[in-house]
Amino acid sequence: MSSDRLIYLPLGGAGEIGMNAYVYGYGAPGKERLILVDLGVTFSDMDTSPGVDLIFPDISWLEQNKDRLEAIFITHGHEDHVGAVGHLWRRLGVPVYARAFTARLARHKMADRGNDENEVITVSPWPEVIKAGPFSVGFAPISHSIPESAGLVIDTPAGRVVHSGDFKLDETPIVGEPFDPEMWADIGKGGVQALICDSTNVFSAHPGRSEASVGPAIEKLVSAAPNMVVATTFASNVARVKTLAEAGERAGRSICLLGRAMRRMIEAAVETGILTSFPKVVSPEEAQAIPRENLMLLVTGSQGERRAASAQLARGKYNGLELKSGDLFLFSSKTIPGNERGVIRIMNQLSEIGVDVVDDDGGNYHVSGHANRPDLERLHDILNPKIVVPNHGEHRHLREHAKLASAAGRASVVAVNGTMVDISGEAPTVVDYVETGRTYLDGQVQIGALDGIVRDRIRMALNGHVVVTVVLDEDDEPLGDAWCELKGLPEIGSSNAALIEVLEEDLTQFLGRAKPKTLRDDDRLEEELRRIARNSCNSEIGKKPEVTVIVSRLSE
Amino acid sequence: MSSDRLIYLPLGGAGEIGMNAYVYGYGAPGKERLILVDLGVTFSDMDTSPGVDLIFPDISWLEQNKDRLEAIFITHGHEDHVGAVGHLWRRLGVPVYARAFTARLARHKMADRGNDENEVITVSPWPEVIKAGPFSVGFAPISHSIPESAGLVIDTPAGRVVHSGDFKLDETPIVGEPFDPEMWADIGKGGVQALICDSTNVFSAHPGRSEASVGPAIEKLVSAAPNMVVATTFASNVARVKTLAEAGERAGRSICLLGRAMRRMIEAAVETGILTSFPKVVSPEEAQAIPRENLMLLVTGSQGERRAASAQLARGKYNGLELKSGDLFLFSSKTIPGNERGVIRIMNQLSEIGVDVVDDDGGNYHVSGHANRPDLERLHDILNPKIVVPNHGEHRHLREHAKLASAAGRASVVAVNGTMVDISGEAPTVVDYVETGRTYLDGQVQIGALDGIVRDRIRMALNGHVVVTVVLDEDDEPLGDAWCELKGLPEIGSSNAALIEVLEEDLTQFLGRAKPKTLRDDDRLEEELRRIARNSCNSEIGKKPEVTVIVSRLSE
């Protein structure tokens, strides 16, 4: 028996949906050779990360061990799997492997951040494999809501691991390879040591529906519409965009793509040969000359993103095009939890214009890209792995998925980000916990989620900000009164006086009675002034604001 | 023909769900005598109103016309209908009428804000009526998700108006009066000029289900649970709390209520005689001594509110009680759009403890309190009004409801907040628009939503805040360097120098070359310093922060 072991270590994506990053290692403990699967982003929100541009997994552990890292493999082109490649690649510096469509998107991201596009290597699908240290990795096509998604077949000296990637079991996916049960059975035939498996839809009890199932309802809706039709979906869902466009074409409509992501995705799909037929599209300028009843716009912004085409159309003109009363707007999409307010805002703006909004209320116009509970069971059965480790899910999803696997007699474990699991044996064993977390892209700068920077911003948003300035002369005597500036606070407090005047008076009074020892001591003076400012605010307006104290000493 | 007219004017609740406030008037144009129906609140969120405690309708118009205001009528005790009574009553100063249970809640709110509880007058249900100027107002019992909800029968010289209030058609509501089709037919018999009608569920195609329908599923779930059971729902849904408690009692469990609102509501229901039977409850202290499998907690916080009992239990102990692996947690509630993140956070925390979470995924454990589309049609048919004006809904709900009414040949109109509609004639006519909006309760102070205060807080949250201080001597010459303080900004920029040092150097250089004219002019100096600070930040970190400039002049 060798003391070498096979480990799995999620750095992102386990215990959350987003910023996927999974490490596999093989070798002697602490000396495993490593590979990374996926390197994605999460999007910020006002509640927890205001002003943040993007969220990355904290890859410090991997960076510290980068001499052991062989390569990065990207399963598919969704932002939560490939979005951080451009931003973080330089810290890792190893080749990035992906299938053609995904590789094209990854190269864009590398170039956008000034990295060498050639670090991204296009691979052919399974049974072709890439050697990376002790690993041999194949990209087995699997259906999902983006073309060329792959499950990874990772062969190691400790046996075969299958990393499902995001997937569904779709035998009629419209674009890209159908789910191929025989190929997967073949992959499982020699025995699978561990399946690391997408958990997103573990709570959905019914078998998932095929992408092909939404076509007829969409076609019926579009052909019955009397005026202009606008439809939105994820731009990366090339199959859906095709279904929508073809429904428009069959209804005698010209198709116009709005939004950069929409055009870029279709372009990528055409250029990589994935999309062999797509209706002819017209430019926004050409569209303006076409009668509305002969026009269909396919637009970005299905999640209510403020700057996307759908939001801009809901607010007014976009690229010279404008919605009118009687037009139809189709959300061929599901609202991701947390995005409801943005989507509802757009629906109401459209309602104000008189546009008829159709959403996916009954599941007629959208299907999920993830395997439902029975589909998960089916993949488990096909591959028959010794161990199932759920990933790509919040804690509740991972836990439910682990229960599902255990109920079928498979060893399983809930391993959240940072949990290093030995998956060499009969059952998974947690062998270590490593520091993980989130890195924020804030403007152009990467900051730690726990650095306190964003915490201070949240506090200013909740409490407002008072700036107190005092000037002390060469003898450490106050020169004039204390000054305040308020930001984000009411002007008038409960005593009906200007808040700023009450504050300045309270602070100036304090300066007048402060002992020389206090006045000489910056820290103490600041602390006292802060305390007084907070208390005065609290009694005047019922809030304790953030306070910045600036002591200017002429003696310095 | 008289020139008197009957008007309807929503100040809140039309074009949104929340802060209901509807004015009716009768008399000569501009001299109508007025009544107000409901005076509710909306809750703040981090995206649009960080740090705000509560949101009220802007009642300035009503305050300016308060000499014409006769009375306030409250349809039921939900916060979005009664929540602002305590805060705003003083600005209106007229009697508040409500049924016993609602009146009890309203009195609490009056007392909380130092108003006289006796201004709230308890009324008996229809056919008793209150005279208020030209109006005669009756409280006709109608089923909803809180006891003693009432539709108002408002008789005027221009005919009868029915203000539905929030309602559903529930003939077995568990607590409170069932929907009584005969009474409503009787109310409609003499002709209804206008129905102002709840629009919340106009997009729900199936008839609504009765409160009684959830009992069996809840009972089955609770009786099968092996360990402790915790259930959450809206505290004001007294019928649901009763159903949950009785399911627990029948399963041999002691019932413990956690959360102030939960106890207060049950207390109010018992004291007003609405709740004639309720299982005996134990205190949290008593509960600690009871075996877990014989205990059921009914807790507040179904919407994921951070300070409520459910969130606190998910984080650890609450009132000495603690969840353990194998316990069951039931959300007998629906998540209101916008609250998903908070609810999901709790679900994941519970998952980490090993608690099994059951939510209302299939509609087994919760029913809505609002009339669905067929129920709306049924009420329209029963009352057969000339005019239907949809209220209590976002724009899309109002529009859909108006279409529904129009399709049945009734005159209708979409009237959002601020729209004054003449409803005297055959069809509604918009006669005026008045200024409305939102008032924020911020700490103890009421501020306008558009005052810029909250806008500044949002900007600080998104962009961070830089404070620049310069001191000028008696000759308007800079005394020393410019100083900066950063809040909510990264310390190190792209040039790898401390951001604060780059800023101070850029600003000090500017001071050195600034012309005397600029240095003497506060506004100009501030503007220049702000511009430089923003540009330096932008090139260092890719963000343009909020900047506060403080110029101290020793000459003053």
Side-chain angles (χ1 to χ4, degrees), chain B residues 442-455:
Chain B
D442 193 44
Q444 299 156 358
V445 180
Q446 291 184 21
I447 59 178
L450 303 178
D451 285 0
I453 294 164
V454 170
R455 181 203 59 204

Side-chain angles (χ1 to χ4, degrees), chain B residues 3-303:
Chain B
S3 71
D4 288 350
R5 65 186 188 181
L6 173 63
I7 57 167
Y8 161 76
L9 167 62
L11 296 177
E16 67 194 329
I17 293 181
M19 58 173 219
N20 294 276
Y22 306 97
V23 176
Y24 292 92
Y26 183 80
K31 294 182 177 163
E32 297 91 351
R33 301 302 300 173
L34 308 173
I35 58 171
L36 175 65
V37 175
D38 290 339
L39 192 49
V41 298
T42 286
F43 298 102
S44 66
D45 61 64
M46 192 69 188
D47 288 87
T48 61
S49 44
V52 168
D53 292 277
L54 278 176
I55 302 173
F56 310 133
D58 178 356
I59 56 161
S60 305
W61 183 88
L62 200 57
E63 192 178 10
Q64 284 151 22
N65 293 285
K66 71 176 170 184
D67 56 317
R68 297 204 267 137
L69 183 64
E70 303 280 353
I72 300 169
F73 298 87
I74 308 293
T75 58
H76 65 285
H78 279 147
E79 290 295 324
D80 58 332
H81 294 260
V82 72
V85 165
H87 297 275
L88 301 182
W89 182 82
R90 213 180 290 254
R91 293 169 57 190
L92 301 174
V94 296
V96 177
Y97 294 96
R99 297 184 67 196
F101 179 76
T102 311
R104 196 179 189 286
L105 301 176
R107 282 189 196 104
H108 259 298
K109 295 189 179 296
M110 290 288 274
D112 280 352
R113 307 300 299 188
N115 296 316
D116 183 0
E117 292 192 358
N118 295 319
E119 294 291 345
V120 180
I121 299 154
T122 299
V123 299
S124 300
W126 172 264
E128 185 170 311
V129 297
I130 307 297
K131 295 276 178 194
F135 299 98
S136 143
V137 180
F139 286 72
I142 197 158
S143 42
H144 185 41
S145 47
I146 188 169
E148 288 196 346
S149 204
L152 302 185
V153 181
I154 306 173
D155 284 325
T156 77
R160 174 166 286 183
V161 172
V162 175
H163 181 101
S164 78
D166 293 9
F167 78 101
K168 64 185 292 189
L169 306 185
D170 195 337
E171 302 194 11
T172 51
I174 305 288
V175 169
E177 300 101 335
F179 175 69
D180 181 351
E182 283 174 28
M183 180 193 72
W184 286 99
D186 199 57
I187 287 168
K189 210 157 48 187
V192 172
Q193 172 65 21
L195 168 65
I196 281 67
C197 190
D198 180 0
S199 308
T200 316
N201 280 0
V202 66
F203 289 109
S204 299
H206 302 289
R209 290 176 301 132
S210 167
E211 183 62 36
S213 70
V214 298
I218 288 174
E219 191 162 341
K220 196 171 155 193
L221 187 75
V222 173
S223 70
N227 299 305
M228 190 164 75
V229 177
V230 185
T232 184
T233 190
F234 283 103
S236 58
N237 193 335
V238 173
R240 185 69 49 77
V241 177
K242 185 180 188 220
T243 298
L244 291 164
E246 287 179 349
E249 186 181 46
R250 275 195 280 272
R253 292 171 183 272
S254 296
I255 306 302
C256 177
L257 305 180
L258 292 184
R260 198 178 48 152
M262 190 64 84
R263 288 193 304 275
R264 190 185 267 199
M265 278 291 170
I266 296 305
E267 205 178 282
V270 168
E271 290 185 11
T272 50
I274 288 166
L275 204 52
T276 48
S277 75
F278 191 83
K280 189 181 159 303
V281 301
V282 299
S283 71
E285 294 70 35
E286 292 168 318
Q288 290 171 47
I290 295 170
R292 307 176 70 73
E293 65 273 21
N294 296 333
L295 192 58
M296 180 165 180
L297 314 180
L298 301 181
V299 308
T300 53
S302 67
Q303 298 304 306

